Amino acid sequence: MKKILVPVDFSKIAENAVKYALKISNRLGAEMVFIHLISTPIPWKDIPLEKENLYPHTKIKISDAKAKLEKMVMEAEKKGV
C-alpha cells in the first residue's frame, strides 16, 4: 500500500479513523490523503471569484474545512507521515 485515502467529516468517528490510518501509514511507510466533501448550491469551481461573496455561508464552510484539513496534515507530519 503506497497511499491511504482517509475520508473525514470531522466527527469523533472520523478522528478515530485518522488515528488508525496514522498507525497503518507509519507501519507501511504509506502516504495519507485526507478527503472531505462539501455540498455547494452551485458548481463552485465554475463561480468567478467576484461572485463567491454571493454565497457567504458556503465560503465559511470551505474556509473552515480547509483549516481543519491543514491542521490534520500538520498533525500527521508531526507523527512522521
Side-chain angles (χ1 to χ4, degrees):
M1 217 181 302
K2 294 180 182 177
K3 289 186 182 183
I4 300 173
L5 180 63
V6 185
V8 293
D9 61 1
F10 312 118
S11 66
K12 281 289 185 193
I13 293 171
E15 285 180 30
N16 288 333
V18 169
K19 289 177 188 175
Y20 186 70
L22 280 167
K23 288 179 185 178
I24 294 172
S25 181
N26 270 328
R27 193 173 304 147
L28 299 176
E31 176 185 0
M32 281 181 60
V33 178
F34 297 107
I35 184 169
H36 177 74
L37 299 177
I38 296 173
S39 180
T40 59
I42 59 173
W44 197 254
K45 66 179 182 69
D46 296 337
I47 300 175
L49 286 176
E50 60 273 0
K51 293 199 176 187
E52 286 183 3
N53 291 330
L54 297 174
Y55 304 93
H57 182 67
T58 302
K59 279 184 73 170
I60 290 168
K61 283 176 31 178
I62 291 170
S63 177
D64 185 45
K66 282 182 179 180
K68 289 177 180 177
L69 286 167
E70 287 173 7
K71 183 178 177 186
M72 292 175 106
V73 168
M74 288 188 331
E75 291 295 320
E77 288 174 347
K78 284 181 187 175
K79 295 184 179 182
V81 176

